[in-house]
């Protein structure tokens, strides 16, 4: 959206293709309504449409949208498809009913909050919930589960509990690994640190009934289980919020024949251009899983490079370069 707005304002004809049924990506379907009201997205989309940006939903490039036609009818393509390839947990019991990825759960929570559905397919009302992962996505699952009326919610994190003060080895401006309390945790904080999930346990009908966890210690560069610390946690649902590993390996990337870097992200040069002429990359697809503000900044920078590529010059701002990465440990 940041790319599209800038390029439209620079005078180009811009079309945004979205495979979902509504525009907004993770802003629409990932971030819960209680953290960011969708009216803010809708207001911006109305503004962009009035400026001339065209939007097409249910447009899956590489399947419902033909790649050859797309390339032949456009002078440049920007890949802003995110890093949505989620991490899984292939342990015994993974096939049981009730185990879902966070991004299988959160979109339905948003639809429910907006009144688009009354009872979503994944509904934890009156159920016991375990969330695997202690980051922002896990907190989003927590807040959504609270609003659906879960009977209990436990959030598990393999890392030990961080300190509340900045560690000496993480001076400013390094992003500090400190103990944080989100708005969802202020409502219900039942986090358990330094534990690992060993097995999903089911009943005779193939439904999840509990998980088996074990305490962990970090030794010699890896997490090792603490002998005798195993226990079970009763649960009807598990939501996995363990991060993402890069863009999905979809027909879109295969047909464009873009190269990936050693992290699995779409390779790009200093001008945000991929290994294919006229194909640019912005946001998580090239940077890796990160924050919305980085995506917006990259989108604006990419727009400037696309404008320069098409016209030979640009007056659009370039907030950051592809090598500008947040200082995180």
């Amino acid at each position: 959206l940041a790319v599209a707005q800038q390029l439209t304002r620079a005078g180009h004809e811009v079309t945004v293709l979205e495979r979902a049924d509504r525009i907004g990506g993770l802003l629409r379907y990932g971030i819960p309504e209680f953290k960011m009201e969708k009216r803010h997205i809708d207001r911006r989309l109305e503004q962009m449409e009035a400026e001339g940006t065209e939007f097409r939903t249910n447009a899956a490039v590489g399947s419902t949208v033909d790649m050859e036609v797309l390339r032949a009818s456009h002078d440049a393509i920007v890949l802003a498809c995110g890093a949505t390839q989620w991490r899984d947990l292939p342990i015994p019991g993974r096939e049981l009913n009730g185990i879902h990825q966070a991004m299988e759960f959160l979109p339905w929570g948003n639809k429910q909050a907006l009144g688009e559905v009354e009872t979503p397919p994944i509904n934890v009302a009156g159920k016991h919930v375990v969330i695997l992962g202690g980051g922002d996505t896990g907190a989003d699952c927590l807040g959504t589960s609270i609003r659906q009326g879960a009977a209990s919610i436990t959030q598990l994190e393999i890392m030990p509990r961080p300190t509340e003060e900045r560690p000496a080895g993480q001076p400013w401006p390094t992003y500090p690994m400190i103990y944080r309390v989100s708005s969802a945790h202020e409502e219900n904080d039942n986090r358990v640190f330094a534990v690992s999930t060993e097995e999903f346990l089911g009943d005779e009908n193939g439904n999840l009934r509990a998980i088996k966890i074990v305490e962990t210690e970090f030794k010699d560069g890896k997490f090792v289980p603490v002998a005798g610390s195993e226990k079970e946690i009763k649960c009807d649902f598990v939501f996995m919020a363990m991060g993402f590993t890069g863009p999905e390996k979809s027909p879109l990337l295969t047909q464009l024949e873009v190269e990936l870097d050693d992290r699995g992200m779409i390779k790009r040069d200093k001008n945000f251009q991929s290994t294919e002429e006229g194909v640019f990359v912005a946001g998580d697809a090239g940077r890796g899983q990160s924050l919305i503000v980085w995506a917006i900044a990259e989108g604006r920078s990419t727009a400037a490079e696309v404008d320069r590529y098409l016209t030979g010059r640009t007056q659009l701002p370039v907030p950051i370069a592809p090598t500008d990465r947040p200082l995180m440990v």
Side-chain angles (χ1 to χ4, degrees):
L1 296 179
V3 176
Q5 185 172 60
Q6 294 292 87
L7 286 174
T8 298
R9 290 177 174 179
H12 300 285
E13 294 182 2
V14 181
T15 303
V16 176
L17 302 179
E18 169 59 61
R19 67 179 178 180
D21 59 349
R22 299 186 70 184
I23 298 291
L26 287 177
L27 293 176
R28 173 78 64 187
Y29 289 116
I31 300 175
E33 176 74 4
F34 68 85
K35 284 180 67 175
M36 188 192 73
E37 298 89 342
K38 302 304 172 278
R39 58 183 171 84
H40 298 300
I41 306 174
D42 295 334
R43 182 177 64 180
R44 180 55 60 92
L45 293 177
E46 290 174 5
Q47 179 191 68
M48 292 177 66
E49 284 184 317
E51 292 174 341
T53 302
E54 180 181 352
F55 295 100
R56 297 181 188 174
T57 56
N58 299 304
V61 179
S63 55
T64 61
V65 177
D66 186 87
M67 180 62 71
E68 291 186 8
V69 173
L70 185 68
R71 294 219 67 175
S73 57
H74 294 80
D75 300 299
I77 294 175
V78 178
L79 301 177
C81 48
T84 55
Q85 188 69 50
W86 51 54
R87 288 190 177 91
D88 212 320
L89 188 60
I91 60 174
R94 175 63 181 88
E95 75 286 351
L96 293 168
N97 300 321
I99 303 171
H100 301 279
Q101 289 285 347
M103 283 305 298
E104 294 175 316
F105 173 54
L106 293 174
W108 287 113
N110 270 323
K111 289 176 179 289
Q112 183 183 28
L114 294 171
E116 296 178 14
V117 295
E118 184 175 347
T119 304
I122 305 176
N123 185 18
V124 303
K127 304 296 184 179
H128 300 280
V129 174
V130 168
I131 299 166
L132 305 183
D136 289 341
T137 306
D140 292 345
C141 291
L142 170 63
T144 301
S145 298
I146 292 171
R147 281 152 183 78
Q148 286 192 348
S152 70
I153 310 168
T154 305
Q155 188 174 3
L156 306 182
E157 170 59 62
I158 194 171
M159 299 292 291
R161 186 186 188 278
T163 60
E164 298 192 14
E165 301 293 330
R166 179 188 290 270
Q170 299 172 16
W172 187 91
T174 302
Y175 185 82
M177 302 302 291
I178 60 176
Y179 182 72
R180 290 179 169 84
V181 178
S182 71
S183 61
H185 292 125
E186 290 176 349
E187 298 178 78
N188 184 343
D189 193 349
N190 191 24
R191 283 178 283 182
V192 180
F193 292 92
V195 294
S196 176
T197 305
E198 288 196 321
E199 185 178 357
F200 299 116
L201 306 174
D203 60 21
E204 62 278 6
N205 298 316
N207 298 317
L208 181 70
R209 66 169 181 82
I211 63 169
K212 181 190 292 185
I213 64 171
V214 62
E215 295 179 12
T216 60
E217 293 179 330
F218 194 70
K219 293 182 178 179
D220 300 324
K222 62 181 180 179
F223 292 100
V224 296
V226 177
S229 65
E230 298 87 354
K231 69 175 183 178
E232 293 183 13
I233 299 178
K234 177 182 178 180
C235 60
D236 306 294
F237 285 93
V238 163
F239 298 126
M240 293 185 285
M242 301 178 295
F244 302 87
T245 60
E248 294 178 31
K249 308 307 181 284
S250 64
L252 165 66
L253 301 187
T254 303
Q255 293 178 23
L256 274 177
E257 300 181 334
V258 293
E259 294 181 19
L260 305 180
D261 63 20
D262 55 4
R263 299 180 301 131
M265 309 304 160
I266 303 174
K267 188 180 293 186
R268 57 192 184 174
D269 62 18
K270 64 180 181 179
N271 300 318
F272 292 90
Q273 188 166 199
S274 74
T275 51
E276 288 296 304
E277 177 74 17
V279 178
F280 296 79
V281 184
D284 289 5
R287 169 178 292 273
Q289 181 189 2
S290 191
L291 302 175
I292 291 170
V293 290
W294 283 102
I296 294 171
E298 281 210 3
R300 291 174 176 167
S301 294
T302 303
E305 298 304 335
V306 173
D307 187 36
R308 195 191 318 275
Y309 171 80
L310 295 174
T311 68
R313 56 188 292 274
T314 187
Q315 291 182 315
L316 293 174
V318 184
I320 59 173
T323 54
D324 292 336
R325 295 187 56 80
L327 297 173
M328 299 178 68
V329 294

